[in-house]
Amino acid sequence: MKLSSWIALLLSPSISLAADPNATGSVIVQENATTTASNGSSVANPSAFATTISIDLKQYWDLFVGPVQTATINTTVEPTPVPTSELIPPPPLYYAPFPTGHQSALVTKNESWKFPHGFYWGVASAAYQVEGAAQAEGRGPSIWDVFTHRATYLTLTNDTGDVGDNHYYLYKQDIARIAALGVPAYSISISWSRIFPYGRGQVNELALAHYDDVINTCIQYGVKPLVTLYHWDLPLYLQNLYGGWLSEEIVDDFAAYATVIFQRYGNKVSHWFTINEPIVFCSEYPLPEGYFADVTIPQKHQQYYCGHHAILAHAKAYHIAKSLGIKGTVAFKNNGGYKIPLTNSSEDALATQRAWDFNEGWFSNPVYVDGDYPSTFKTWASSIGLEFTQQEKSMINGTADIYAHDAYTSSFYYAPEVGVSACVSDPTNTLYPGCFNSSNIGPTGWLIGAASDQYSTWLQSATDWVPAFLHYIQETWPSGGIVVSEFGFSEPYEELRTSLADIVIDPIRSMYYRDYMQAILIAISEGVNVVGCIAWAIMDNLEWSSGYNTRFGLQYVNYTSFERSYKASFFEYVNAFKVYAEDPVVPIFVPGK
Ligand code: GBH
């Protein structure tokens, strides 16, 4: 049979895929034993001549993803010392703006600012964006392997995460490079489909051993490992089995996965994040048609089902961590920009509130306020049958030790043309059910801040709003402290520069980091309890559907040689702590073998 017919067969509604718990790396394909006769009755299916077919992991890959590229380097590389010539900071890049009619003053240290003792800061990555080694050591496919290979998400560049930054084999050097600059924390995500190739069933010891070494290498270099359990790479099998996050079944599978990870790495990790940006991965639903098993939930409702189960999964994982005696903080990572009403009209205020409710509040109110959705969102969710029971509410409420927010940017919000209440009562309005509009252009007609890369139009350097943002979070969703768990910037047109010397001077990203760090310092000095911040990203990587050309790295990655180079912005980021942190910035070099 042709491959394409196999795929059609495996995706047809009469076939279900079930993991065989007794056979490592094999899948049973079961054809339904019954069918519906023309008179409507359920009868034995005459075509069920083959009820089970066993396929192994490689065949599963071949069927759903197809050929996967491999890197030339495919064993773990021992680190080499970072040459001191690479640790020389760049010349100053820019100067304070001229106050009108005056000469520019020299910038001096502000003695009333500080990052208090214990403030943790670092850089981040996510498994699918950096690891590569897609099929190595028993990794099963995730939905992102299908997105990049089959579902034509990458219309621009056709990039995949097959090889990525080859971080799966180069992590030791990558950790050595951040330690050499004195970076005290590294936030990684674990690939669920490495640990459980089919998302559930048997555990893959090779994958556990790999992350043992990543975590231990961090510790060896004095870098705190921070771990996210889920950064969007859902095991494909769970999507095809029951619709992934659309089904409540995901809650127990996620909990089982979380249990294995907590048990294995437990107290080596000081900060845990359960799920990354549920707003984003839930808005992937409905998934592109024709590549995954069909689901029956109406398309427009799907992201909300996903969110509902994501909250339950997070809460369950939180309780598991506590019951296992995990000492590190546990939270989920929320995301979204600061929301500024476009005008001071009461309609724009209403629309802005709805925007908070349908984004951050959707996930944060249940966890940080009262176990339930914000009232505007609750009205919508109940109308499609999504309600938490009393027991679920008490299970969810309070399941985060800190508030983690990926806070990149800010935007303006305003009411729909017909007004908020007309929209809310009209399901055919294109803005329904949120019923708010947004724009990056403000009332003056100017963009809110300097533009980033052309393929990240959502992002501007809008750091002036960060102190207000942090105040808002502290007041709205009280917690044991705020960590800015991601922030960063894609230098515009970086991909057009050809010489390394040109690339690594990145003034707009550097400015973003300088201004952002100052904004956090201002917020702290005003009494906001910011306990840490994590820059995105440790190095250039697969920027999801924008591919490799949109670069967020504090280090440049040459995708031919896989060599990494520090960008000026990395030094700027580190400088903020050299000047303002109470804890000293200590570069650590561990002698190679
Ligand atoms: C983070 O999300 C991700 O966690 C990280 O993996 C990613 O590499 C990093 O940002 C940089 O993008 O194209 O208009 O539909 C940040 C929040 C939410 C920003 C989704 C982009 C898509 C906006 N992201 N959003 S749009």
Side-chain angles (χ1 to χ4, degrees):
M1 191 154 42
K2 271 173 52 191
L3 198 60
S4 54
S5 335
W6 268 106
I7 291 161
L9 176 70
L10 289 174
L11 288 172
S12 79
S14 66
I15 302 285
S16 63
L17 294 169
D20 175 358
N22 302 313
T24 311
S26 96
V27 169
I28 303 296
V29 181
Q30 277 175 323
E31 190 160 355
N32 279 358
T34 60
T35 189
T36 309
S38 49
N39 68 4
S41 63
S42 179
V43 296
N45 183 356
S47 65
F49 51 84
T51 54
T52 62
I53 303 164
S54 208
I55 62 173
D56 68 15
L57 187 60
K58 180 66 172 56
Q59 291 166 318
Y60 189 64
W61 269 99
D62 290 345
L63 285 169
F64 286 94
V65 179
V68 163
Q69 282 173 282
T70 53
T72 359
I73 297 171
N74 52 25
T75 52
T76 305
V77 175
E78 287 305 319
T80 53
V82 178
T84 47
S85 61
E86 285 194 46
L87 301 173
I88 302 166
L93 296 169
Y94 39 63
Y95 305 89
F98 290 106
T100 319
H102 297 276
Q103 278 292 92
S104 171
L106 285 174
V107 180
T108 55
K109 183 177 175 186
N110 181 332
E111 295 297 336
S112 63
W113 288 349
K114 64 169 191 256
F115 296 110
H117 171 65
F119 187 95
Y120 56 96
W121 60 279
V123 293
S125 70
Y128 190 67
Q129 295 180 274
V130 298
E131 283 183 351
Q135 292 182 332
E137 300 194 304
R139 178 177 174 272
S142 81
I143 54 173
W144 267 94
D145 293 284
V146 181
F147 291 168
T148 58
H149 277 261
R150 287 263 162 92
T152 59
Y153 260 40
L154 298 185
T155 49
L156 282 173
T157 42
N158 288 323
D159 291 329
T160 74
D162 292 0
V163 173
D165 292 326
N166 210 14
H167 185 57
Y168 192 79
Y169 297 116
L170 302 178
Y171 60 94
K172 287 180 197 260
Q173 187 69 24
D174 286 331
I175 294 164
R177 291 183 63 80
I178 62 175
L181 287 182
V183 175
Y186 178 32
S187 180
I188 61 164
S189 84
I190 288 182
S191 158
W192 184 347
S193 70
R194 287 194 192 279
I195 309 296
F196 290 101
Y198 300 102
R200 47 158 61 171
Q202 273 193 300
V203 174
N204 173 14
E205 276 297 324
L206 292 174
L208 287 174
H210 170 78
Y211 291 112
D212 274 337
D213 200 45
V214 174
I215 288 170
N216 291 341
T217 304
C218 284
I219 293 167
Q220 185 192 13
Y221 277 91
V223 174
K224 273 179 201 248
L226 277 48
V227 173
T228 299
L229 298 179
Y230 182 74
H231 198 124
W232 310 354
D233 42 1
L234 180 73
L236 171 65
Y237 182 74
L238 300 184
Q239 182 59 44
N240 284 337
L241 185 66
Y242 53 66
W245 292 100
L246 302 181
S247 161
E248 197 165 349
E249 282 197 58
I250 193 82
V251 177
D252 285 341
D253 283 333
F254 183 71
Y257 161 58
T259 304
V260 167
I261 301 299
F262 288 141
Q263 280 173 337
R264 181 79 169 211
Y265 311 114
N267 291 325
K268 286 184 176 176
V269 176
S270 54
H271 302 283
W272 293 94
F273 303 108
T274 53
I275 53 177
N276 180 67
E277 302 187 348
I279 298 166
V280 180
F281 72 75
C282 286
S283 65
E284 294 290 348
Y285 289 103
L287 302 189
E289 263 174 68
Y291 302 96
F292 307 92
D294 291 339
V295 290
T296 51
I297 300 167
Q299 296 207 339
K300 236 192 142 161
H301 301 177
Q302 289 186 16
Q303 59 174 306
Y304 305 102
Y305 275 73
C306 168
H308 204 72
H309 302 134
I311 292 167
L312 291 167
H314 155 77
K316 188 158 185 180
Y318 179 89
H319 289 295
I320 290 169
K322 298 298 154 175
S323 73
L324 292 171
I326 297 292
K327 292 194 207 74
T329 62
V330 183
F332 71 99
K333 288 169 72 191
N334 210 343
N335 75 284
Y338 186 58
K339 296 168 183 44
I340 309 146
L342 184 66
T343 73
N344 56 15
S345 74
S346 54
E347 278 290 292
D348 285 358
L350 269 180
T352 306
Q353 183 57 50
R354 290 187 70 86
W356 286 114
D357 293 349
F358 275 72
N359 286 280
E360 290 82 350
W362 173 10
F363 297 93
S364 291
N365 282 46
V367 170
Y368 295 92
V369 181
D370 59 1
D372 207 350
Y373 293 130
S375 61
T376 54
F377 186 90
K378 188 176 158 79
T379 307
W380 154 248
S382 318
S383 78
I384 58 169
L386 295 173
E387 280 174 336
F388 294 121
T389 64
Q390 208 46 53
Q391 202 192 348
E392 285 172 334
K393 284 184 215 169
S394 28
M395 201 271 286
I396 295 164
N397 194 11
T399 52
D401 303 314
I402 51 162
Y403 190 100
H405 204 80
D406 296 355
Y408 283 78
T409 191
S410 308
S411 303
F412 298 98
Y413 286 78
Y414 59 102
E417 223 168 297
V418 294
V420 171
S421 74
C423 170
V424 169
S425 54
D426 175 14
T428 66
N429 191 304
T430 49
L431 295 173
Y432 183 87
C435 293
F436 57 84
N437 259 312
S438 70
S439 169
N440 298 328
I441 295 191
T444 58
W446 288 88
L447 196 63
I448 192 162
S452 64
D453 182 84
Q454 58 177 328
Y455 298 114
S456 36
T457 50
W458 54 278
L459 175 61
Q460 286 80 33
S461 185
T463 51
D464 284 358
W465 299 95
V466 169
F469 196 174
L470 295 168
H471 277 283
Y472 185 89
I473 291 175
Q474 177 158 289
E475 280 147 30
T476 316
W477 302 294
S479 72
I482 299 169
V483 58
V484 179
S485 39
E486 278 183 35
F487 66 114
F489 203 75
S490 50
E491 184 79 7
Y493 304 107
E494 194 170 297
E495 82 274 16
L496 298 182
R497 302 186 197 164
T498 47
S499 91
L500 183 61
D502 289 357
I503 292 165
V504 295
I505 290 190
D506 51 345
I508 304 186
R509 184 187 287 111
S510 301
M511 173 190 82
Y512 173 91
Y513 277 107
R514 183 193 61 171
D515 293 350
Y516 205 115
M517 299 321 297
Q518 291 187 355
I520 293 179
L521 286 161
I522 290 169
I524 293 174
S525 75
E526 291 171 353
V528 182
N529 185 21
V530 186
V531 295
C533 66
I534 307 290
W536 183 270
I538 180 175
M539 59 192 152
D540 296 335
N541 58 69
L542 180 75
E543 179 51 14
W544 304 110
S545 51
S546 302
Y548 288 104
N549 280 343
T550 300
R551 292 172 180 260
F552 273 85
L554 288 169
Q555 298 180 74
Y556 168 76
V557 175
N558 175 323
Y559 286 104
T560 309
S561 65
F562 288 89
E563 205 181 326
R564 286 74 155 121
S565 306
Y566 300 118
K567 297 179 192 174
S569 53
F570 208 155
F571 288 90
E572 189 71 1
Y573 180 50
V574 174
N575 264 342
F577 302 98
K578 286 191 173 162
V579 177
Y580 287 110
E582 290 194 320
D583 295 333
V585 176
V586 190
I588 294 185
F589 302 90
V590 174
K593 285 189 186 168

